[in-house]
Amino acid sequence: MFVSWTLTRYLSRQFFMAVMAAFIICLAIVFLADMVELLRRTANKEGITFATVLTMALLRLPNLGIQLLPFAVLLGGMASLLRLSRSSELVVTRAAGISAWQFLAPALCVAFVIGVFSITVYNPVAATLTGRFEQLEARYIKGKASLLSVAETGLWLREATNSGKTVVHALRGSQANKIQLREVIVFQYAPDDSFAGRIDAEAAALEAGFWTLTNAWVTEPDEPSRFYETYRLPTDLQKEQVQESFAGPETISFWDLPHFIAVADKAGFSVLRHRIHLHSLISSPFLLCTMVIVAAIFSMRISRLGGFGQLVLGAIFSGFVFFFFTKLSLALGSSGIIPPFLAAWAPAIFTALVGLAALFHLEDG
């Protein structure tokens, strides 16, 4: 049966408004919780004002919103369908011969559009703000700035100490057991930023307290170059510091992520987390559609589930199971046990299969 455009617009508007209301409520709750956590983390830090903490919480909020979006669609979908059911609009619509799938089609379309908007428009904004948040976090909380950057020209590592500054450039690298670089150039600067020397080496390995440079040519101002088969360059860098400075996937826009993955992978750094994140973003519109199906299961047959109390408990339990399964899948993907594609898509596929099976059962019953 053909569903009129008027009914489609009405159902779409009801669903969209309910999802936006649920999203705003979830954001407000998470913002307050995150604000309290940031105040706790900065309680013993000097020079941090309340305005700075508030700014940091606001900068991180959009990224948290991306994680909350599936739950907002679930809660908003349940709220809109429950309202339509209690006002008998759902009963009248079903009595007119409209099936559950026709009734859910507008909500599914809206959810898909929200998902596409979230990865193409919302995500780039959230990534930019998250990058700014991490800069403030490194400055005010962790007390250290970003050390590593990856570009078309290779890897760049920066270190500043009381004795001066060191900039390490390499064309390739790896971070398996330890940080290892290939085709290395080290630029050394004095505390007053004047040039102090340059080292060209075939390879470099980060050890405890120093870089081990292989086949190194050491050049100092007004001095001839000297060759060393093995040269030790003191450093305060540690492997954990370098790995933490590697750009997190949440700070990279959806549009820039494929290029970053290609460049970082060519440079020799692990981009497994970034691949998983990219597939998670691509799968998000389909995941939001599955949340609509789950919401329909709990809302359209509320009488069979025992009333409003059972509805709320069922939704909470479903959200917990979904969250647990998502974290488990991502953990397995990050450890390399399952492919990135499967790790990112498994939650959406699993939820869709279970939801469709349950909805078919309720519809046939």
Side-chain angles (χ1 to χ4, degrees), residues 3-289:
V3 181
S4 69
W5 176 241
T6 302
L7 179 60
T8 300
R9 285 189 301 169
Y10 176 75
L11 295 176
S12 300
R13 184 172 63 253
Q14 292 294 317
F15 176 77
F16 178 77
M17 296 302 294
V19 169
M20 289 299 100
F23 184 63
I24 292 173
I25 293 174
C26 290
L27 278 182
I29 295 174
V30 170
F31 172 76
L32 293 176
D34 190 47
M35 186 71 181
V36 171
E37 174 62 16
L38 287 174
L39 288 173
R40 183 193 66 80
R41 294 177 62 189
T42 58
N44 298 325
K45 305 292 183 179
E46 297 182 358
I48 302 180
T49 64
F50 179 80
T52 301
V53 177
L54 178 63
T55 300
M56 293 174 65
L58 290 173
L59 289 173
R60 185 157 68 168
L61 188 60
N63 182 56
L64 296 176
I66 294 179
Q67 304 175 42
L68 291 171
L69 191 55
F71 300 99
V73 172
L74 174 62
L75 296 176
M78 290 172 53
S80 62
L81 292 173
L82 182 60
R83 193 197 70 80
L84 292 173
S85 177
R86 290 192 165 182
S87 63
S88 299
E89 292 174 275
L90 176 59
V91 177
V92 173
T93 304
R94 296 298 301 275
I98 297 177
S99 67
W101 299 109
Q102 291 174 311
F103 188 84
L104 288 177
L108 292 171
C109 292
V110 171
F112 188 85
V113 171
I114 291 175
V116 172
F117 178 84
S118 70
I119 63 177
T120 58
V121 179
Y122 184 84
N123 170 263
V125 176
T128 302
L129 297 180
T130 302
R132 177 56 180 160
F133 163 79
E134 292 191 354
Q135 292 177 3
L136 294 177
E137 183 185 36
R139 177 182 177 183
Y140 291 108
I141 299 179
K142 295 182 178 180
K144 54 186 178 183
S146 177
L147 306 171
L148 174 67
S149 61
V150 181
E152 292 280 4
T153 55
L155 309 174
W156 294 88
L157 271 169
R158 297 173 295 278
E159 179 184 13
T161 63
N162 294 331
S163 59
K165 299 178 181 179
T166 301
V167 178
V168 180
H169 173 260
L171 293 183
R172 299 184 306 277
S174 64
Q175 53 178 347
N177 297 323
K178 59 183 178 181
I179 303 297
Q180 294 181 319
L181 306 177
R182 296 289 184 272
E183 300 183 52
V184 180
I185 302 176
V186 181
F187 301 94
Q188 296 176 298
Y189 300 90
D192 60 355
D193 291 336
S194 61
F195 181 72
R198 166 175 171 162
I199 304 174
D200 295 78
E202 181 180 311
L206 182 59
E207 310 286 351
F210 57 88
W211 286 99
T212 299
L213 303 174
T214 305
N215 297 331
W217 286 91
V218 180
T219 305
E220 297 178 352
D222 302 324
E223 295 287 339
S225 298
R226 300 186 301 274
F227 176 78
Y228 298 87
E229 290 187 2
T230 302
Y231 184 85
R232 288 189 173 184
L233 178 67
T235 181
D236 295 331
L237 292 178
Q238 298 178 1
K239 177 183 176 181
E240 293 74 16
Q241 287 179 283
V242 177
Q243 290 176 331
E244 290 178 2
S245 296
F246 195 59
E250 298 83 6
T251 64
I252 305 174
S253 165
F254 169 77
W255 301 108
D256 298 331
L257 199 52
H259 177 70
F260 179 88
I261 291 174
V263 172
D265 187 51
K266 182 179 179 181
F269 273 75
S270 174
V271 288
L272 185 59
R273 291 191 305 121
H274 299 75
R275 294 185 191 277
I276 294 175
H277 184 68
L278 177 60
H279 284 295
S280 297
L281 291 176
I282 296 174
S283 67
S284 59
F286 303 94
L287 178 60
L288 297 186
C289 290

